[in-house]
């Protein structure tokens, strides 16, 4: 038996890769295998016979002696490394700076003889490799979790950016199928997020914009490192078109099956504002030109009209000649109206605004314009309509233009509806009109006028061009009617827009600032020429104006001295003051090319005589002096061309006016 | 075999004593408060155990299996669903990043926990019956439930019963449910019930 026991010992020593030791019931070691000799440093010869708890006192201090009591009571004991770290203190078998003791898991088994426990068998496993591997794995998992958290935060951050951007982020594949749209698609185009997924992007794009979109997309697919930029109209959920500025590039990392990420910005309003700006710039440049022409034209007309006026007053004139001269005078008046239209372009075809009952103006203009035509006009105007502060002549011209357009749109006859109502525009109000979605009106009270016809209407494509100067669809049209209307309304701080309604007639809308509590300006009385006496100094660079004005003043009973520019006028005025023959009044041309103009001359005259009575005359009605002459110390103004009655009235008013 | 409600109450009380000891051991071992509750026990023939478990546990399970022998012989199994086993191991181990799989050390932890629980429970029975029970080394396995349950019934001619003990581990504000199953031959069960009678 002894040889059998020794044989078992030898086999255990040779083959076991575990530590094994056996104790008797008093925990005296009776077997200590070679693995333990190697790892614990205790030789079997020294260990056998010793008490386990004396040999390893930390077993008791760490409470591990309890497990031997359990084993001696017949229980199987398992000691997991994670709970116990180690059973016997041994140096680690692998180089690892974390390990102080060899990590172990252990089993303590009761050694039974029949039903009696005669000792314990302890089996120790070195779990160093496993523990190090698991620690490395844990460390790896920690890093992964941290990376995962960083990615999650990063993803949440970018998601938040995408969800909150005002632009639409859209991803399409190379065929144009939509793979993703950011939630802002709802705000911009009205579609639910995800509603457009798997749809063809081309279905959203305006047919006219498709060729350029296809072209840039193909270029991008062929040259994946480039970026495309294209403006195209996209259909909104409600069918409206939104101009989007789309900037696209190939989504990185998707080269196998290219996807394009497109950033779409709604530039509809910006574009509308830009069109508005260009329209204004165009009008301004035309206005300068028109103003210059009107000025020269008015000077010429002053000469013609004044002379005609004087000739008509000749008592010796034959009746037949008088008729012809009257016709010529009428032609001059029509030319004056044309010049006035040109001046309206000039920034101040400046309206001379007065509180006006617009309903009366609308009715009078419509009745006059449509008289004798096959067009019926219906008015829908409330009694309590607010007054507006307008230049009656200019607004008359606007309404007249709209009515003529309406009449021409209905060659077979029909009816025009004119509506007016009080409206309050709130801040940043968007008015429900296709072309007027963006209306640059400050908040306030307005009178809204609508002129609707029953014609063919205007196609939406040309709808936004109709206010451009020289744009016309009529073979004989000048393209100035609606441009003039636009300019006039703009100068009144109002807004004009239209609803195309192609096929159902068009509707023009005008907004004019309202005066809630004002009373209408009294109507002008008829003017008769008034004679007078005294000396009057006139200054104008146009010889024909000087000549006819001089003759007209003489006809009214005045003595006249004339000057070609401001310098000469100042000289004459000074001499007259010195000679005791002062002038009762001075009529100054406002604009003298290359010489001293009216405003500068006025300053010199005031130095000579602060009480000087000055009338300013000009072919430009947009000068600040003409609009607000009293502020400049001028007693009166008269716009060229003028007739004798108007001239006499102004002179009479100025001469009889007492100085402040 | 049917046990009366009084016998069932006595059995439950006995199990609670064993579980109390196990909970104390686990608390001492882990340094944190571990509670073990037995809200429910069921005694049924082995053939019916599937009916009780199939709705409660499905798929992969973790078991700690231990044979015991002596005057009363049978098998004891701690049964946890895999997710519960991962969670329990994580709760019992300090400073570890939660993962969704059991590594070797986790399995070792669960084996020691199972061993403590089974020893405490069976030790209490041994004391009651005043008999000595011998135990095999506990064995930890990850397997699917159905083959495990079938292994209890196949190849056994004698009528065997299962004492199904719903076990709840509570620690660190978390709860893990599992089952302790004692599989006993009719004779062993009869002996156990008679002892309970004596207790009553």
């Amino acid at each position: 038996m002894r040889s059998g026991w020794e044989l078992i010992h030898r086999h255990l020593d040779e083959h076991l890769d575990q530590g094994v030791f056996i104790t008797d019931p008093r925990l005296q070691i009776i077997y200590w295998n070679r693995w333990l000799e190697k790892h614990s440093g205790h030789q079997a010869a020294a260990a056998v016979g010793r008490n386990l708890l004396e040999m390893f006192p930390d077993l008791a201090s760490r409470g591990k002696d309890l497990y031997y009591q359990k084993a001696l009571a017949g229980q199987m004991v398992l000691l997991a490394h994670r709970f116990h770290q180690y059973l016997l203190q041994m140096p680690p078998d692998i180089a690892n700076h974390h390990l102080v003791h060899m990590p172990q898991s252990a089993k303590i088994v009761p050694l039974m003889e029949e039903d009696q426990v005669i000792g314990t068998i302890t089996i120790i496993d070195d779990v160093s490799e496993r523990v190090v591997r698991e620690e490395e794995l844990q460390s790896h998992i920690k890093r992964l979790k941290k990376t995962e958290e960083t990615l999650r935060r990063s993803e949440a951050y970018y998601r938040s950016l995408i969800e909150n951007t005002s632009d639409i982020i859209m991803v399409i594949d190379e065929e144009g199928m939509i793979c993703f749209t950011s939630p802002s698609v709802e705000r911009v185009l009205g579609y639910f997020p995800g509603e457009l997924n798997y749809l063809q992007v081309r279905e959203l794009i305006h047919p006219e914009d498709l060729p350029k979109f296809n072209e840039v997309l193909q270029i991008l697919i062929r040259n994946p490192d480039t970026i495309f930029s294209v403006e195209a109209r996209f259909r909104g959920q409600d069918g409206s078109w939104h101009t989007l500025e789309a900037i696209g590039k190939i989504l990185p990392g998707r080269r196998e099956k290219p996807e394009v990420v497109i950033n779409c910005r709604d530039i509809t309003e910006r574009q509308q504002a830009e069109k508005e700006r260009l329209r204004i710039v165009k009008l301004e440049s035309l206005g300068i030109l028109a103003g210059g022409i009107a000025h020269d034209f008015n000077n010429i007309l002053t000469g013609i009209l004044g002379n005609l006026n004087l000739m008509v007053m000749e008592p010796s004139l034959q009746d037949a000649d008088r008729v012809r001269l009257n016709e010529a005078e009428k032609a001059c008046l029509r030319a004056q109206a044309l010049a006035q239209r040109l001046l309206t372009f000039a920034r101040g075809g400046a309206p001379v605004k007065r509180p006006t009952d617009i309903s009366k103006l609308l009715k009078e203009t419509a009745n006059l314009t449509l008289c004798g035509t096959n067009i019926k006009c219906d008015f829908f105007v409330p009694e309590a309509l607010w007054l507006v502060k307008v230049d009656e002549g200019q607004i008359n011209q606007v309404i007249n233009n709209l009515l003529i357009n309406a009449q021409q749109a209905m060659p077979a006859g029909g009816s025009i509806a004119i509506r007016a109502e009080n409206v309050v525009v709130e801040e940043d109000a968007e008015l429900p009109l296709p072309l007027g979605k963006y209306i640059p009106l400050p908040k306030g009270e307005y009178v809204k006028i609508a002129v609707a016809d029953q014609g063919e209407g205007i196609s939406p494509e040309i709808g936004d061009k109709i206010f451009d100067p020289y744009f016309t669809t009529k073979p004989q049209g000048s393209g100035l009617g609606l441009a003039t209307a636009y300019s006039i309304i703009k100068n009144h701080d109002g807004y004009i827009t239209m609803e195309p309604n192609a096929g159902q007639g068009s509707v023009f809308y005008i907004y004019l600032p309202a005066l809630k509590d004002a009373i209408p300006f009294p109507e002008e009385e008829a003017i008769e020429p008034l004679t007078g006496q005294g000396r009057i100094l006139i200054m104008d660079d146009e010889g024909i104006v000087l000549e006819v004005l001089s003759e007209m003043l003489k006809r009214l009973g005045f003595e006249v001295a004339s000057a070609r520019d401001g310098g000469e006028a100042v000289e004459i005025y000074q001499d007259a003051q010195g000679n005791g023959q002062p002038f009762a009044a001075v009529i100054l041309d406002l604009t003298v090319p290359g010489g001293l103009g009216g405003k500068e001359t006025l300053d010199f005259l005031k130095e000579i005589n602060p009480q000087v009575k000055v009338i300013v005359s000009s072919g430009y009605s947009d000068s600040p002096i003409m609009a607000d002459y009293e502020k400049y110390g001028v007693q009166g103004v008269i716009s060229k061309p003028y007739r004798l009655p108007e001239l006499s009235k102004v002179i009479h008013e100025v001469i009889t006016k007492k100085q402040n | 075999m049917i046990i009366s409600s009084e016998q069932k109450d006595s059995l439950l009380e006995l199990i609670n004593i064993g579980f109390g000891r196990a909970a104390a051991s686990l608390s001492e071992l882990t340094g944190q408060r571990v509670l073990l509750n037995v809200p429910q026990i069921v005694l049924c023939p082995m053939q019916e155990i599937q009916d009780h478990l199939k709705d409660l546990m499905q798929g992969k399970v973790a078991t700690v299996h231990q044979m015991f022998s002596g005057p009363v012989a049978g098998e004891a199994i701690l049964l946890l669903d895999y997710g519960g086993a991962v969670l329990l191991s994580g709760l019992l181990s300090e400073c570890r990043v939660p993962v969704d799989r059991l590594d070797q050390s986790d399995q070792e932890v669960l084996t020691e926990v199972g061993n403590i629980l089974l020893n405490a429970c069976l030790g209490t029975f041994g004391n009651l019956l005043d008999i000595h029970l011998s135990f095999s080394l506990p064995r930890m396995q990850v397997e699917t439930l159905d083959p495990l349950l079938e292994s209890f019934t196949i190849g056994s001619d004698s009528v065997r019963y299962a004492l199904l003990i719903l076990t709840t581990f509570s620690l660190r504000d978390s709860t893990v449910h599992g089952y302790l199953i004692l599989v006993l031959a009719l004779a062993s069960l009869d002996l156990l019930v008679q002892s309970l009678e004596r207790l009553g």
Side-chain angles (χ1 to χ4, degrees):
Chain A
M1 183 63 198
R2 183 170 176 78
S3 61
W5 180 237
E6 282 172 355
L7 191 66
I8 292 169
H9 276 202
R10 198 167 63 245
H11 276 284
L12 286 175
D13 282 345
E14 282 175 8
H15 301 298
L16 269 185
D17 192 22
Q18 290 168 305
V20 179
F21 66 91
I22 302 172
T23 71
D24 68 7
R26 289 175 293 116
L27 299 181
Q28 299 291 329
I29 297 168
I30 56 176
Y31 172 70
W32 190 260
N33 81 341
R34 190 170 292 167
W35 188 93
L36 282 170
E37 282 185 329
K38 181 183 169 191
H39 291 93
S40 72
H42 298 287
Q43 294 302 304
V48 171
R50 288 185 69 181
N51 183 277
L52 175 67
L53 300 181
E54 286 173 6
M55 193 171 162
F56 293 96
D58 73 307
L59 281 175
S61 64
R62 291 191 294 127
K64 306 302 173 191
D65 55 336
L66 175 73
Y67 298 109
Y68 280 94
Q69 288 169 26
K70 287 188 175 182
L72 290 170
Q75 282 189 23
M76 291 284 174
V77 175
L78 297 178
L79 301 178
H81 158 263
R82 198 175 289 165
F83 286 145
H84 305 275
Q85 314 306 318
Y86 60 93
L87 180 66
L88 301 183
Q89 271 192 12
M90 287 185 267
D93 196 32
I94 58 171
N96 186 302
H97 64 278
H98 288 306
L99 299 177
V100 178
H101 304 293
M102 175 198 287
Q104 302 155 26
S105 58
K107 300 179 189 73
I108 305 171
V109 181
L111 181 62
M112 306 292 290
E113 191 173 71
E114 298 183 348
D115 282 347
Q116 293 298 310
V117 179
I118 59 165
T120 64
I121 304 172
T122 302
I123 304 161
I124 296 173
D125 281 294
D126 176 4
V127 294
S128 303
E129 290 284 350
R130 191 181 86 203
V131 166
V132 169
R133 274 202 316 275
E134 285 178 359
E135 276 179 1
E136 284 171 358
L137 191 64
Q138 272 284 306
S139 163
H140 188 60
I141 290 170
K142 274 182 191 168
R143 280 202 303 275
L144 276 178
K145 295 258 179 196
K146 199 173 173 184
T147 308
E148 207 173 82
E149 176 61 16
T150 308
L151 280 174
R152 195 191 61 74
R153 282 171 190 265
S154 170
E155 196 265 344
Y157 176 72
Y158 286 110
R159 178 170 292 279
S160 164
L161 282 181
I162 284 180
E163 284 178 353
N164 291 298
T165 179
S166 55
D167 294 353
I168 300 173
I169 311 289
M170 182 186 285
V171 178
I172 61 171
D173 67 11
E174 58 185 331
E175 303 298 327
M177 190 184 76
I178 298 171
C179 311
F180 169 81
T181 51
S182 60
S184 49
V185 74
E186 185 172 7
R187 206 161 46 241
V188 178
L189 294 177
Y191 298 102
F192 291 118
E195 186 183 343
L196 299 176
N197 288 2
Y198 309 113
L199 291 181
Q200 176 55 245
V201 70
R202 293 178 178 86
E203 289 175 19
L204 297 178
I205 297 174
H206 195 286
E208 288 177 7
D209 298 337
L210 262 181
K212 62 180 174 185
F213 180 82
N214 287 336
E215 186 186 345
V216 293
L217 184 61
Q218 284 312 308
I219 291 172
L220 183 68
I221 299 293
R222 283 198 299 272
N223 306 284
D225 295 324
T226 59
I227 292 175
F228 79 63
S229 173
V230 65
E231 278 182 20
R233 283 163 288 177
F234 282 66
R235 196 183 60 245
Q237 206 271 339
D238 61 359
S240 61
W241 291 103
H242 298 252
T243 306
L244 302 187
E245 181 184 60
I247 296 171
K249 64 176 291 190
I250 296 285
L251 203 56
R254 302 288 180 99
R255 295 291 169 100
E256 290 296 313
K257 193 183 174 192
E259 286 184 344
V260 180
V261 58
I262 307 173
N263 189 83
C264 303
R265 176 166 297 176
D266 191 345
I267 57 166
T268 311
E269 287 189 1
R270 193 178 84 191
Q271 213 176 38
Q272 204 170 336
E274 179 63 12
K275 277 183 185 169
E276 186 79 6
R277 193 188 67 78
L278 286 175
R279 183 178 286 156
I280 289 166
V281 168
K282 210 186 275 187
L283 280 176
E284 278 175 352
S285 59
L286 276 171
I288 292 166
L289 180 66
I293 292 171
H295 170 259
D296 293 348
F297 204 55
N298 279 336
N299 272 336
I300 297 164
L301 279 177
T302 305
I304 299 171
L305 193 62
N307 280 314
L308 287 173
N309 213 208
L310 290 170
M311 284 177 73
V312 168
M313 292 173 78
E314 279 294 328
S316 59
L317 196 67
Q318 296 292 318
D319 285 348
D321 294 336
R322 193 183 305 278
V323 169
R324 287 187 181 282
L325 288 173
N326 278 336
E327 286 302 315
E329 192 175 287
K330 281 180 192 170
C332 278
L333 291 174
R334 283 202 297 277
Q336 182 193 15
L338 180 61
Q340 189 57 42
R341 284 176 70 184
L342 284 171
L343 266 175
T344 305
F345 276 127
R347 288 167 62 88
V352 181
K353 298 176 192 171
R354 294 165 176 170
T356 306
D357 176 2
I358 195 75
S359 61
K360 190 179 168 195
L361 183 67
L362 287 172
K363 285 173 187 166
E364 282 177 1
T365 306
N367 289 337
L368 198 64
T369 307
L370 301 174
C371 176
T373 69
N374 53 358
I375 306 292
K376 177 173 159 272
C377 192
D378 299 315
F379 294 96
F380 304 92
V381 181
E383 280 188 13
L385 195 67
W386 293 326
L387 296 182
V388 287
K389 193 175 180 184
V390 296
D391 182 319
E392 282 189 35
Q394 291 191 359
I395 297 300
N396 171 61
Q397 191 179 339
V398 172
I399 303 299
N400 190 44
N401 279 339
L402 296 184
L403 291 172
I404 288 169
N405 281 348
Q407 184 199 348
Q408 289 173 346
M410 298 184 290
S415 68
I416 295 171
I418 298 181
R419 290 182 166 77
E421 60 179 314
N422 299 327
V423 294
V424 176
V425 172
E426 300 297 341
E427 200 158 11
D428 297 328
E430 284 192 357
L431 298 169
L433 304 173
L435 293 173
K437 199 172 177 186
Y438 167 68
I439 294 184
L441 282 180
K443 71 174 188 177
E445 286 117 5
Y446 293 84
V447 169
K448 176 185 170 187
I449 300 160
V451 179
D453 64 42
Q454 296 174 320
E456 288 294 307
I458 297 166
S459 76
E461 284 73 26
I462 63 165
D464 58 345
K465 296 178 188 163
I466 60 167
F467 294 110
D468 288 351
Y470 303 121
F471 178 84
T472 181
T473 56
K474 294 175 280 191
Q476 74 279 29
S478 68
L480 286 179
L482 287 176
T484 306
Y486 184 87
S487 176
I488 289 172
I489 298 299
K490 190 165 173 45
N491 284 337
H492 279 78
D493 302 320
Y495 191 74
I496 182 168
T497 184
M498 58 85 67
E499 194 171 8
N501 272 343
Q504 302 167 34
S506 51
V507 187
F508 282 84
Y509 297 93
I510 298 168
Y511 291 80
L512 289 168
L515 293 170
K516 278 174 78 175
D517 306 318
I519 53 167
F521 197 79
E523 287 180 30
E524 284 186 11
E525 293 168 7
I527 308 166
E528 289 296 327
L530 298 164
T531 55
Q533 57 183 6
R535 301 186 73 214
I536 292 182
L537 172 63
I538 59 176
M539 184 275 280
D540 203 300
D541 64 303
E542 285 287 339
I544 189 169
V545 175
L546 271 185
E547 198 178 313
V548 77
L549 178 58
S550 172
E551 198 56 40
M552 287 165 96
L553 288 169
K554 285 176 186 165
R555 187 67 61 92
L556 290 171
F558 296 103
E559 281 182 51
V560 181
S562 58
R564 295 299 290 258
D565 62 36
E568 191 181 350
V570 172
E571 223 170 88
I572 295 172
Y573 189 82
Q574 196 156 22
D575 289 348
Q577 285 288 101
N579 295 338
Q581 292 181 309
F583 289 104
V586 183
I587 299 175
L588 296 176
D589 181 20
L590 205 53
T591 312
V592 178
L596 204 60
K599 188 173 177 300
E600 295 79 9
T601 307
L602 173 66
D603 294 337
F604 283 114
L605 294 181
K606 276 187 171 297
E607 278 180 26
I608 299 165
N609 176 18
Q611 304 299 318
V612 64
K613 291 183 173 179
V614 174
I615 297 165
V616 167
S617 161
S618 181
Y620 284 118
S621 58
D622 61 337
S623 164
I625 294 183
M626 294 297 281
D628 200 6
Y629 61 90
E630 284 178 326
K631 189 177 153 192
Y632 291 85
V634 174
Q635 280 72 38
V637 292
I638 186 160
S639 295
K640 293 177 186 174
Y642 40 79
R643 292 177 301 173
L644 209 53
E646 290 96 36
L647 178 66
S648 71
K649 181 171 180 280
V650 172
I651 292 171
H652 185 75
E653 279 174 3
V654 169
I655 289 177
T656 56
K657 195 183 279 182
K658 286 183 180 174
Q659 290 287 1
N660 291 329
Chain B
M1 184 171 180
I2 297 170
I3 59 171
S4 67
S5 60
E6 289 81 9
Q7 288 167 338
K8 197 173 178 180
D9 287 346
S10 300
L11 191 57
L12 191 58
E13 193 179 332
L14 207 61
I15 292 166
N16 268 321
I17 292 168
F19 273 36
R21 287 179 188 163
S25 297
L26 287 173
S27 298
E28 192 180 355
L29 183 64
T30 60
Q32 55 188 304
R33 186 177 163 79
V34 181
L35 293 176
L36 282 167
N37 291 314
V38 185
Q40 191 187 352
I41 60 170
V42 175
L43 181 66
C44 66
M46 270 311 294
Q47 288 78 2
E48 294 175 16
I49 192 170
Q50 273 179 296
D51 298 334
H52 290 282
L53 286 177
K54 68 181 178 189
D55 292 336
L56 302 170
M57 287 205 181
Q58 287 171 341
K60 222 159 51 160
V61 293
T63 62
V64 180
H65 188 198
Q66 197 164 25
M67 309 284 282
F68 57 95
S69 57
V72 174
E75 296 172 49
I77 303 117
L78 172 65
L79 176 66
L80 298 161
D81 70 37
Y82 191 80
V86 172
L87 178 60
L88 182 61
S89 171
L91 291 169
L92 290 166
S93 311
E94 294 272 4
C95 304
R96 283 179 62 80
V97 183
V99 288
D100 56 1
R101 56 179 284 277
L102 294 172
D103 62 22
Q104 208 172 338
S105 290
D106 290 320
Q107 294 190 26
E108 217 174 65
V109 163
L110 291 174
T111 311
E112 184 169 348
V113 170
N115 187 49
I116 290 168
L117 193 60
L118 297 174
N119 270 314
C121 194
L122 292 170
T124 309
F125 287 168
N127 291 341
L128 165 74
L129 299 170
D130 196 21
I131 53 170
H132 180 78
L133 296 176
S134 294
F135 301 96
S136 68
L137 272 171
R139 198 173 69 246
M140 162 89 201
Q141 278 186 297
V142 174
E143 53 201 322
T144 47
L145 184 62
D146 289 343
L148 172 75
L149 296 177
E150 281 166 14
S151 71
F152 292 140
T153 50
I154 292 169
S156 173
D157 295 335
S158 61
V159 179
R160 299 215 295 174
Y161 280 83
L163 183 60
L164 201 59
I165 304 163
L166 178 60
T167 308
T168 305
F169 297 81
S170 300
L171 67 160
R172 291 190 190 181
D173 299 327
S174 295
T175 300
V176 179
H177 298 290
Y179 286 95
L180 182 63
I181 305 169
L182 295 181
V183 182
L184 299 161
L186 182 59
S188 294
L189 182 60
D190 197 35
L191 194 61
L192 186 64
V193 171
Q194 284 173 29
S195 304
L196 289 172
E197 280 296 311
R198 284 202 302 276
L199 264 183

